[in-house]
Amino acid sequence: MIEEINKKKLRLDELRPLSRETVKSIRESILLEWTYNSNAIEGNTLTLLETKVVLEGITIGGKSIREHLEVVNHKEAILYLEEVIRKEEPFNEWQIKNIHHLVLKGINDKYAGNYRDQQVMISGAEHIPPAPFLLKEKMNEFINWYNTEAQSLHPIERAAMVHIIFVGIHPFVDGNGRTSRLLLNLELMKNGYPPIVIKNLNRLEYYSALDIAHTTGDNSKFISLVLKESDDMLNRYLSLLNNNR
């Protein structure tokens, strides 16, 4: 699959630069789907259509302030990723905390951008994240791994591993899932790949693959899931661009 993805990525690169209209159309569509699905995985009850309306600045009757904020915050976090990529900023803890702060802003300001000070459990998972006093050490190890060993991995595999390691550490009280998927896509986008959308419909497969990675050290199922989603998104991009031509 990596060989096929590499070929499709090369074809996409050959079609660049994309027209402004095409970029705008694709960006708006993916931003909506990414925001809807990432929030839905965490229990947000807004539909895709309702999410679209909230992104346009309209409130939905009967829905909580938190659910509205989760949509608006996620959009702001994506805009921040785009800024990080434009400025070619290096991956670091400050960047991770900024992303998380945007995710939880106005929802839980005490913990937005701050590491947890209590033990947490991952709902439905066997894996138990490290104790709070170990977080600084674990995050340092994570960043060091990224700057050394991770650089020899294929960009998609590296993106998948960023997600696996980060969510295994679970450094925040809340918002780890959304932040991990933002970090995954940040890595893909840095390397010229389209962001992927992990669909709410596939959340059981997604959670299962993550728990297997954390409890057995077998990362293959999760990496395969990310490869499949990357392949699907490349197909989508290429199909749209070929139609436009």
Side-chain angles (χ1 to χ4, degrees):
M1 185 175 281
I2 285 179
E3 286 181 14
E4 284 300 309
I5 286 173
N6 287 342
K7 289 175 186 174
K8 290 170 186 176
K9 168 66 161 51
L10 185 60
R11 288 208 296 276
L12 178 59
D13 289 341
E14 288 169 350
L15 293 168
R16 286 180 165 132
L18 311 181
S19 73
R20 183 177 299 177
E21 293 76 16
T22 300
V23 170
K24 183 174 182 292
S25 172
I26 294 176
R27 181 179 176 276
E28 288 178 355
S29 175
I30 292 176
L31 188 148
L32 170 60
E33 291 176 36
W34 179 1
T35 297
Y36 161 70
N37 282 282
S38 194
N39 282 334
I41 285 172
E42 304 301 332
N44 189 300
T45 64
L46 289 166
T47 65
L48 181 67
L49 210 56
E50 288 171 337
T51 301
K52 183 178 189 296
V53 170
V54 173
L55 287 171
E56 292 168 354
I58 301 169
T59 56
I60 305 294
K63 299 296 182 177
S64 68
I65 293 173
R66 178 183 178 120
E67 288 184 309
H68 284 81
L69 284 173
E70 285 174 348
V71 170
V72 174
N73 288 0
H74 195 269
K75 177 184 177 180
E76 289 189 13
I78 293 174
L79 296 179
Y80 174 68
L81 298 192
E82 293 173 346
E83 182 184 340
V84 165
I85 293 165
R86 275 197 304 272
K87 294 181 177 178
E88 298 183 350
E89 293 179 5
F91 186 60
N92 54 48
E93 282 187 77
W94 179 79
Q95 198 176 88
I96 294 170
K97 288 181 176 182
N98 281 345
I99 293 168
H100 183 262
H101 180 267
L102 290 170
V103 167
L104 275 199
K105 186 176 66 173
I107 296 171
N108 189 338
D109 288 326
K110 177 182 177 182
Y111 286 107
N114 298 314
Y115 292 153
R116 58 183 165 86
D117 55 5
Q118 54 194 273
Q119 184 62 50
V120 294
M121 305 288 285
I122 303 175
S123 179
E126 289 184 36
H127 171 69
I128 299 174
F133 70 88
L134 292 172
L135 292 178
K136 186 64 180 172
E137 176 188 347
K138 294 294 183 184
M139 291 302 290
N140 282 337
E141 289 174 0
F142 175 38
I143 299 299
N144 288 337
W145 164 84
Y146 179 87
N147 289 323
T148 54
E149 182 184 339
Q151 296 308 307
S152 64
L153 301 175
H154 186 278
I156 298 178
E157 185 178 1
R158 183 165 61 246
M161 289 303 302
V162 162
H163 184 302
I164 289 170
I165 296 170
F166 172 83
V167 89
I169 298 170
H170 230 71
F172 302 108
V173 167
D174 189 16
N176 293 283
R178 292 176 181 88
T179 303
S180 64
R181 291 184 289 277
L182 286 158
L183 292 174
L184 184 157
N185 276 335
L186 173 60
E187 191 60 29
L188 290 177
M189 292 157 68
K190 273 184 189 174
N191 291 278
Y193 288 87
I196 65 169
V197 176
I198 295 176
K199 300 172 188 66
N200 182 42
L201 288 172
N202 298 334
R203 66 185 178 277
L204 291 180
E205 179 190 359
Y206 165 68
Y207 282 141
S208 174
L210 273 176
D211 203 38
I212 289 169
H214 293 143
T215 55
T216 71
D218 179 4
N219 304 312
S220 61
K221 287 185 183 299
F222 190 79
I223 292 170
S224 293
L225 185 152
V226 175
L227 283 168
K228 180 183 179 300
E229 294 296 345
S230 293
D231 188 55
D232 287 350
M233 192 59 78
L234 281 166
N235 288 338
R236 184 169 163 185
Y237 264 66
L238 291 170
S239 175
L240 177 63
L241 293 171
N242 287 332
N243 288 341
N244 285 349
R245 292 176 69 191

